[in-house]
Amino acid sequence: MILTVTLNTALDLTYAVPALVPRSSHRVTEVTERPGGKGVNVARVLSALGHDTVVTGFAGGATGAVVRRLLGALPHGPADALVTVGGNTRRTLAVADRSTGDTTQLNEPGPHIGADEWAAFLRTYGELLPGAEAVALCGSLPPGIHVGAYAELVRLARSAGVPVLLDTDGEPLRRGIAARPDLVKPNADELARLTGAREPLRATRDARRRGAHSVVASLGADGLLAVTPEGIWRAAPPSAVRGNPTGAGDSAVAGLLSALAEGLGWQDRLARAVALSTATVLAPAAGEFDRAAYEELLPRVTVEQHASAA
C-alpha cells in the first residue's frame, strides 16, 4: 500500500471559458469537480496505475462531504482514511482559457485545525504507517497546524522504516527537509525560495545538502532534474505541450512513488514521472492523465545521467 497525506484537502472546481478577459463577465462552457489537494491527486494517479493507495488528512463540513463522496465514487479509487474536522474543507478554482490554453488558479486557505484534530490525525497516521510501502507528504498546511508538522511526519515515517517523499513549500519545506526525507520534489520557484538560487543545478544541490537523500526538481516544460546518491539525472519530454498544468507536479510524484514501490531505478522513475506529468497537462482536470498520451510518451522521454552529485 502507498499512503498519501493531504493535510489541506480541497474540492477542485475547473471552469472552462472561451477566453478569460480581466474585468469582464464570462459564460462558463464546462464545469468539472474533483476531490483534490496534492496528495489526493497523487493517490488518484497511483490508483489509475494499479497501486493499492490510501488517502489520509482532513475533511470537514459540506465541502468535505462532497470530497469524500466523489472520492468514494471513483472506480478502483484510493481508500478514504481522512480524519473528520469541524471546519469546512476548502475549494480551489481553476479557470481554463480555451483561446490560449492557459489556466488561472484560485486557492482558498482551508479550515482551522485544532489541537485535538491534529492529535486524531497523528493516531491515524501512526496506524497506517506499518502497512505502507511508501508515503507522500503533499501540499500546504491548513491554518492551525504548526509549521514543523511535515518534519514531525517525516521523522515518524523514518522511525517506521517507510520511505517518505515531501512535496511542499516555504517554511514547512525548510523544516521538513532538515528531518531527512528520502526524496523532495520542489518546482523551480519553491527551490528558489528555499535556497535563494535560481540556477536549477546549484539550487537542487543546495536543497540536497540541507538534508534530503535525493531531490527531484520540476522544471516545467524542461522536465526534471534529479540530484541523487547515484548521480545527477536530467529527464525531459520529447516536446512541449499546451494544456492545463494543474496537477502535473502531483503526477510526477505519483510516477516517482510508483516506480520506487516497484523497485525500479532512477532512469525508469524519472521517465515515468515525466511521461505522467506531461500526459496530465493534456487531461481536463487535476488528478487525471491522458493514458494514451502517457503510453506513447513513456518510451520517448529522454533521460541522461551525469557522473557525480557532488
Side-chain angles (χ1 to χ4, degrees):
M1 175 267 284
I2 299 177
L3 176 63
T4 73
V5 174
T6 310
L7 297 179
N8 214 1
T9 52
L11 177 63
D12 286 344
L13 301 170
T14 302
Y15 288 176
V17 297
L20 183 60
V21 181
R23 299 179 299 278
S24 67
S25 179
H26 297 78
R27 186 174 297 278
V28 176
T29 58
E30 183 181 356
V31 179
T32 59
E33 60 177 16
R34 300 286 188 275
K38 293 178 71 65
V40 174
N41 294 338
V42 171
R44 289 174 57 200
V45 174
L46 286 168
S47 294
L49 292 171
H51 285 272
D52 179 19
T53 311
V54 176
V55 171
T56 191
F58 299 108
T63 307
V66 174
V67 168
R68 302 184 88 154
R69 175 176 58 79
L70 293 172
L71 193 63
L74 293 171
H76 311 294
D80 176 357
L82 295 167
V83 175
T84 301
V85 295
N88 200 37
T89 294
R90 68 188 177 127
R91 297 161 297 179
T92 67
L93 175 62
V95 182
D97 184 330
R98 295 303 196 203
S99 68
T100 64
D102 295 329
T103 300
T104 299
Q105 189 85 14
L106 302 172
N107 298 328
E108 296 179 357
H112 185 277
I113 304 300
D116 55 338
E117 293 168 334
W118 176 245
F121 166 77
L122 288 177
R123 288 192 296 272
T124 297
Y125 183 69
E127 292 166 359
L128 291 168
L129 277 177
E133 301 168 82
V135 58
L137 309 174
C138 303
S140 61
L141 299 178
I145 298 290
H146 65 95
V147 74
Y150 281 133
E152 181 178 359
L153 300 183
V154 168
R155 287 191 290 268
L156 289 171
R158 287 178 56 82
S159 295
V162 180
V164 57
L165 181 152
L166 177 62
D167 183 14
T168 188
D169 190 13
E171 191 61 23
L173 173 59
R174 191 180 308 276
R175 302 276 187 100
I177 203 170
R180 306 188 66 80
D182 295 272
L183 179 59
V184 175
K185 196 219 66 66
N187 61 34
D189 290 337
E190 291 162 352
L191 262 181
R193 285 190 286 270
L194 174 69
T195 67
R198 277 285 174 187
E199 197 284 312
L201 181 55
R202 178 182 175 186
T204 307
R205 281 173 161 164
D206 187 347
R208 183 167 180 259
R209 283 194 290 268
R210 291 167 184 260
H213 187 69
S214 298
V215 178
V216 177
S218 293
L219 304 178
D222 293 329
L224 300 175
L225 169 64
V227 178
T228 78
E230 291 79 12
I232 298 169
W233 305 75
R234 294 180 184 268
S239 60
V241 297
R242 297 295 297 272
N244 181 1
T246 306
D250 305 331
S251 289
V253 169
L256 293 168
L257 274 180
S258 62
L260 172 65
E262 294 169 26
L264 302 181
W266 276 109
Q267 182 161 346
D268 292 320
R269 293 183 205 177
L270 295 170
R272 183 178 292 184
V274 168
L276 278 171
S277 60
T278 305
T280 297
V281 174
L282 298 171
E288 299 178 355
F289 63 95
D290 185 318
R291 185 173 291 275
Y294 164 66
E295 293 174 354
E296 190 272 334
L297 284 163
L298 185 58
R300 299 172 56 219
V301 173
T302 301
V303 182
E304 298 178 348
Q305 181 182 11
H306 300 255
S308 172

